[in-house]
Amino acid sequence: MANFEYLAEELNQLKQDGRYRELSVWGSGCGTWMELGGRKVLQLSSNNYLGLTSHPDMKRAAIDAIDKYGVGSGSVRTITGTLNVHDRLERELAAFKGTEAALVFQSGYAANLGVLSSILTSDDVVISDELNHASIIDGIRLSKTNRKIYAHKDLDQLEQRLKESANYRTRVIVTDGVFSMDGDIAPLPQIVELCEKYDAIVYVDDAHASGVLGKNGKGSTDHFGLNGRVHIQIGTLSKAVGAVGGYVACEQVLKQFLVHKARSFLFSTALPPAVAATCISAIHVLQASSDRIERLWNNTAFFRGELKKMGFDTGVSETPIIPIIVGQPAKTMQFSDALLAEGIFAQGIVYPTVANDKGRVRLIITAAHTDEDLKFALDRLEKVGKAFGLI
Ligand SMILES: *Cc1c(COP(=O)(O)O)cnc(C)c1O
């Protein structure tokens, strides 16, 4: 029998630190009020920014695609897995993003892994924000490239790293468009300017900006009016878009390269056709109206404003991602549990995902939350926040 005692020891350490978590098993689909352990709780931690996980047009598109194509795609994309829905999704994504081409992966994680690990070699250098997402870090790790980190959004340090990097073949600057733990936005205009000055490639991961920032949710490049100046845009179909999948929007030559070289693309089965069809429908939903995105930002401004008035520390949030900073891991998890007892799900996030004294519950406000939902949440947060001495 395998000896897993060392794993059990590590788990015990997590328990002692107050960082051990059971998975929450939900009895209903993603939405604002969800069933957990036989009762309804208000969901404040999903990535379902626009409430699209249950959009009727998208559900219909998925059901129709299952009727037409069946449930699985049957192979990797390079063999028999590229169905015409995949091709159409990529054409629509490229048109939506205003790029020459787009290539779809099974997730945003797979997109970062596949793109970064294939385009970066030991002749190149990647310069990465210290708070970039784990999938960026892992993609870089899978390559044999040279790596430099700059302090979060520190443009002076970024320029310094660029100056040190003159001798590499290709310099790639990588940044999240919206940072997932703090909800702040990357200074993309300044980053693009530096990249143009030093002849570097800009790579932005818009997982939390897809469907959230820019006209009709086109992302941070559009938000800042930088169309045509960002070389590689990663997006996800898993968060605001409401389904699952990831993509890169880029030039045709990069797409063709990735089709031949990106290992997460080459060696993993294509997205189910129903998912591709539902994502095409999502693009149409986004293009048809900005009402949902407007409601998302109105809800966010109201909610963050009220939290600040109460005296909560919401860090540097400037998007619908709103952290409430609590402190040590154990206290953070207790705060999250106390909110759950009051009918609110607010996931605690602690070390090592964030600094040890910066544990927080991370709230994500959505367009689907009603005024009553938000008032209910604020009322309960005030009560529990006082009990914990946070306000
Ligand atoms: C969530 C996230 C991803 C992963 O996207 P999935 O589609 O869920 O795999 C990648 N990058 C960033 C910045 C993210 O926040």
Side-chain angles (χ1 to χ4, degrees):
M1 211 166 76
N3 183 351
F4 286 136
E5 244 166 64
Y6 69 106
L7 302 181
E9 270 168 31
E10 213 169 297
L11 288 173
N12 278 333
Q13 188 59 50
L14 289 179
K15 282 177 189 162
Q16 276 172 29
D17 297 348
R19 296 196 278 128
Y20 185 84
R21 266 318 228 197
E22 297 288 347
L23 293 174
S24 304
V25 180
W26 301 89
S28 56
C30 191
T32 48
W33 287 89
M34 294 176 59
E35 194 194 310
L36 184 65
R39 67 193 185 105
K40 291 274 180 192
V41 300
L42 183 64
Q43 181 57 268
L44 284 183
S45 287
S46 86
N47 294 318
N48 191 16
Y49 287 98
L50 302 175
L52 295 188
T53 55
S54 55
H55 192 286
D57 293 359
M58 291 170 57
K59 282 167 44 174
R60 187 77 254 157
I63 292 164
D64 290 347
I66 288 176
D67 282 342
K68 181 169 176 189
Y69 298 97
V71 291
S73 55
S75 168
V76 296
R77 288 282 305 275
T78 46
I79 302 179
T80 66
T82 301
L83 307 176
N84 56 7
V85 271
H86 296 104
D87 186 57
R88 182 153 162 238
L89 173 59
E90 288 174 345
R91 287 173 197 281
E92 296 227 10
L93 277 171
F96 180 64
K97 296 286 286 185
T99 54
E100 268 181 28
L103 185 68
V104 169
F105 291 73
Q106 297 83 352
S107 68
Y109 186 88
N112 274 324
L113 245 57
V115 180
L116 288 164
S117 66
S118 60
I119 65 171
L120 294 164
T121 75
S122 54
D123 294 333
D124 311 310
V125 63
V126 64
I127 308 177
S128 178
D129 187 292
E130 66 177 342
L131 294 190
N132 279 344
H133 190 256
S135 55
I136 292 175
I137 296 167
D138 293 357
I140 294 170
R141 277 189 186 145
L142 279 177
S143 77
K144 294 193 173 65
T145 199
N146 305 285
R147 53 201 78 170
K148 294 175 188 282
I149 308 295
Y150 61 97
H152 183 49
K153 301 209 297 194
D154 185 332
L155 294 163
D156 292 333
Q157 243 188 50
L158 171 57
E159 179 154 26
Q160 192 53 43
R161 303 278 179 269
L162 279 162
K163 281 183 183 157
E164 298 160 7
S165 302
N167 291 331
Y168 295 104
R169 178 183 65 180
T170 304
R171 292 157 288 284
V172 180
I173 314 299
V174 186
T175 183
D176 282 14
V178 170
F179 289 88
S180 49
M181 291 303 144
D182 294 289
D184 53 336
I185 301 175
L188 206 52
Q190 293 86 340
I191 291 175
V192 165
E193 266 172 38
L194 282 173
C195 286
E196 288 172 352
K197 182 170 168 192
Y198 291 92
D199 190 24
I201 285 173
V202 189
Y203 182 117
V204 59
D205 177 356
D206 258 349
H208 280 285
S210 306
V212 174
L213 275 183
K215 186 167 185 292
N216 300 97
K218 288 176 204 281
S220 55
T221 298
D222 183 85
H223 170 73
F224 285 115
L226 297 168
N227 294 317
R229 295 169 70 189
V230 173
H231 309 90
I232 302 176
Q233 298 180 60
I234 302 294
T236 184
L237 305 165
S238 323
K239 289 174 176 158
V241 176
V244 70
Y247 63 90
V248 54
C250 59
E251 290 174 35
Q252 186 65 29
V253 60
L254 177 55
K255 174 175 175 169
Q256 285 320 117
F257 179 84
L258 294 170
V259 165
H260 291 86
K261 297 284 186 181
R263 293 171 68 84
S264 60
F265 179 84
L266 287 166
F267 297 111
S268 186
T269 297
L271 278 183
V275 171
T278 212
C279 291
I280 294 170
S281 173
I283 297 172
H284 298 166
V285 168
L286 288 174
Q287 281 171 324
S289 157
S290 313
D291 290 355
R292 274 194 184 72
I293 296 174
E294 256 166 52
R295 166 123 194 119
L296 169 66
W297 285 92
N298 287 340
N299 278 355
T300 298
F302 166 73
F303 200 80
R304 190 171 43 231
E306 293 298 310
L307 288 178
K308 280 188 172 165
K309 268 191 234 160
M310 288 178 194
F312 281 111
D313 177 3
T314 56
V316 292
S317 163
E318 47 187 334
T319 66
I321 299 174
I322 307 176
I324 292 180
I325 313 290
V326 180
Q328 299 296 321
K331 185 177 178 186
T332 304
M333 287 316 200
Q334 284 156 12
F335 183 63
S336 173
D337 289 342
L339 288 171
L340 186 56
E342 292 288 334
I344 287 180
F345 190 84
Q347 179 69 55
I349 295 178
V350 297
Y351 180 83
T353 307
V354 294
N356 196 52
D357 62 342
K358 291 282 184 201
R360 78 264 323 261
V361 294
R362 186 183 61 163
L363 311 182
I364 297 187
I365 300 307
T366 77
H369 288 109
T370 64
D371 295 350
E372 295 76 57
D373 294 340
L374 297 180
K375 282 179 193 136
F376 173 82
L378 288 165
D379 179 67
R380 300 305 157 100
L381 279 161
E382 185 169 33
K383 179 178 166 195
V384 180
K386 278 184 180 154
F388 275 72
L390 296 178
I391 54 173

